[in-house]
Amino acid sequence: MTGAVRLPSRRSRPLAPTARVRRLRRRITLLFALTSAVGLIAMAAWAVRGDDVRWRDQLDRTMSADTNWALGLLETDADGRLDTGVLLDAAGTACPPLHLLSVPPDAARGARRTAPADLVVEHAPSEPCLTVGGAAVRRAAAAAVNADEERSLDGRTTTGEPVRLFALPFYPPEAEEDTRPQGALVTVADTAAQQAGHRRLAWRVTGGCALLVCLSALVGHLLSGRAVRPALEALDRQESFLADAAHDLRTPAASLRTLAETALRGDTDSTDVHRRTLRLAEGMGSLVDGLLTRARLMSGTAVLAVEPLRLDQLVEAVVEDAPTDGHRVTVEAQEAVVVADPDLVRRAVANLVGNALVHGRAPGAPAEVEVTVAADGPSTTVTVEDAGPGLPPEVAGALFDRFRSGSRSTGLGLSIASWVAHAHGGSLTAGPGRCGGARFVLRLPNGERPSAEG
């Protein structure tokens, strides 16, 4: 029984190098944003918490001052019972509400904790501005009595408004140090305004943190892009080199195979086959050397092998070696000397001439190509003009991109010529010719050593 071939799942397929670099960029951006978010959230929580503690402490200090002032007006009679007459006469206890609660004598003498229910309400305002349930007032008073110090807690009025309750314990006259409190004064303050301000601050801090996190994510994305850009450029150069090598070696490799098959059949003279094979091998070697040189130049590991060069002689030699095959190529060259890499310039000119011979003619008709070398101020131009159908408008803008040509075929000749021009500090332009065909102008500077960057 034959088993089915199991294809790798989509998740297990390895990512392309460019995709891995882009995924790394996304991870760096995410890490940068998460780090910023953690720090900002911690700072925001600290700021919000600090504001909450601040307004509560400020309110407690104000309530403590009012309660201590009221405590100074509280008196006791000869029997030790509380006398609230002076307090009621001298201070209004309705706003802020002031409650007076006392501990029963038997509970005050005992060591057990005082329960809220044990407290006796000595005074409660009849018409307070803030009405708070008696249970909340008793809890605040019991907390102060049992802790033997002032206490505050949050609560709500009977209508649900937020308030702050502050309880201050008091002692009988001439009390000893270990005497338990006789009772507690409880006052109430409205906290709606403070809590509203605190919520506004919290929302502002939250919004500011969200904005800063987004900004940090954007900055992280830009910085990570700058960090991975050299890797992406290196990968692009690698892919460009592989594509150029495959394109330029495909034709001579096919020719070698044809020659080998012909030699095996014995259809031609073996000496002629060997001679043609040798020429192809030499041409392939030159192509490989040129591609490797371009790859090294683009990666910045090598410099252009520039030297003074008779450009007119080089162009004439390129035209002589071009496979005209019935086409007519005329050369009009002025004596011109440039400082350039001979091999690369020869390759660029050969590509332009070859492009004109292939595409610069009508179907079935011979090509007519004019090549002109002329000095133009600080630079020298090589103009290649044909009498063909011209450049289609849809490819004019991308004519020097890799794998584009005027006839919609794949190719690298024009893109390589453009790269050679820019590597020498020159340019390559295309436009309509005088006879309706295409006109390519290769411009190279005179007398200066060009940079290898291009």
Side-chain angles (χ1 to χ4, degrees):
M1 181 176 179
T2 304
V5 177
R6 183 179 180 182
L7 297 176
S9 64
R10 188 172 183 178
R11 291 185 177 180
S12 63
R13 294 175 185 173
L15 294 175
T18 304
R20 289 200 297 269
V21 172
R22 290 195 174 96
R23 184 176 65 179
L24 175 62
R25 181 186 183 185
R26 291 193 295 268
R27 289 181 175 179
I28 293 174
T29 301
L30 180 61
L31 180 61
F32 193 87
L34 287 177
T35 303
S36 302
V38 170
L40 290 171
I41 290 174
M43 293 180 62
W46 175 79
V48 172
R49 175 62 181 170
D51 180 74
D52 183 70
V53 173
R54 179 194 59 78
W55 74 260
R56 293 178 190 277
D57 288 344
Q58 184 177 2
L59 183 60
D60 287 347
R61 286 194 297 270
T62 301
M63 298 173 70
S64 177
D66 295 340
T67 308
N68 277 282
W69 177 78
L71 182 60
L73 302 177
L74 185 63
E75 297 180 350
T76 56
D77 57 16
D79 297 330
R81 292 190 297 270
L82 293 175
D83 184 3
T84 60
V86 177
L87 175 61
L88 297 178
D89 292 340
T93 60
C95 197
L98 185 64
H99 302 261
L100 177 62
L101 295 88
S102 63
V103 180
D106 55 344
R109 289 190 295 270
R112 66 182 178 87
R113 294 176 61 85
T114 301
D118 296 337
L119 296 174
V120 179
V121 179
E122 299 290 345
H123 171 73
S126 57
E127 296 181 357
C129 58
L130 296 172
T131 304
V132 181
V137 174
R138 289 176 180 273
R139 282 197 303 271
V145 169
N146 292 323
D148 199 9
E149 61 181 3
E150 60 186 30
R151 280 287 187 267
S152 57
L153 55 90
D154 294 321
R156 290 192 174 274
T157 64
T158 55
T159 59
E161 297 297 326
V163 292
R164 184 82 168 168
L165 292 90
F166 183 86
L168 178 68
F170 61 88
Y171 302 86
E174 300 178 359
E176 298 179 359
E177 292 183 0
D178 58 349
T179 303
R180 296 194 63 191
Q182 188 179 3
L185 282 172
V186 180
T187 186
V188 183
D190 183 14
T191 60
Q194 289 86 344
Q195 292 195 16
H198 177 69
R199 284 194 298 270
R200 286 194 299 270
L201 175 65
W203 279 111
R204 289 173 182 172
V205 171
T206 302
C209 287
L211 180 61
L212 290 176
V213 168
C214 294
L215 182 61
S216 67
L218 177 60
V219 172
H221 185 70
L222 295 177
L223 293 179
S224 62
R226 291 176 63 90
V228 303
R229 187 177 302 151
L232 290 174
E233 291 176 352
L235 290 173
D236 184 67
R237 286 194 296 266
Q238 177 183 345
E239 293 177 0
S240 174
F241 170 75
L242 294 176
D244 294 351
H247 173 271
D248 287 338
L249 296 177
R250 186 180 295 113
T251 299
S255 300
L256 280 176
R257 180 175 179 176
T258 302
L259 286 175
E261 292 174 350
T262 303
L264 288 175
R265 291 195 303 266
D267 295 341
T268 59
D269 183 19
S270 61
T271 303
D272 181 61
V273 171
H274 292 162
R275 187 181 301 109
R276 293 168 61 187
T277 301
L278 179 60
R279 285 200 304 267
L280 283 174
E282 292 176 348
M284 290 181 67
S286 300
L287 285 176
V288 172
D289 291 340
L291 289 171
L292 292 176
T293 300
R294 176 188 175 185
R296 287 194 297 268
L297 291 172
M298 293 182 67
S299 63
T301 59
V303 295
L304 295 174
V306 296
E307 60 184 47
L309 173 66
R310 283 286 300 271
L311 186 59
D312 55 314
Q313 295 178 355
L314 182 143
V315 171
E316 291 174 350
V318 169
V319 172
E320 277 185 28
D321 295 338
T324 54
D325 295 333
H327 306 300
R328 190 163 74 88
V329 181
T330 60
V331 179
E332 183 179 346
Q334 299 178 359
E335 181 177 336
V337 178
V338 297
V339 178
D341 188 312
D343 294 334
L344 294 179
V345 174
R346 182 180 293 107
R347 182 179 178 84
V349 175
N351 286 348
L352 294 177
V353 174
N355 179 77
L357 291 174
V358 174
H359 306 297
R361 59 189 177 90
E368 294 186 5
V369 181
E370 295 182 3
V371 182
T372 305
V373 180
D376 185 12
S379 61
T380 299
T381 61
V382 178
T383 304
V384 180
E385 186 172 354
D386 59 63
L391 300 175
E394 62 271 16
V395 302
L399 192 62
F400 301 130
D401 294 344
R402 293 168 54 233
F403 308 119
R404 295 301 299 271
S405 71
S407 63
R408 301 178 183 266
S409 63
T410 60
L412 295 168
L414 294 180
S415 68
I416 292 175
S418 177
W419 176 86
V420 171
H422 286 90
H424 287 83
S427 63
L428 177 62
T429 58
R434 293 171 298 177
C435 300
R439 183 172 184 263
F440 293 89
V441 179
L442 174 65
R443 188 179 301 274
L444 297 174
N446 296 330
E448 295 182 359
R449 298 181 68 85
S451 171
E453 298 179 0

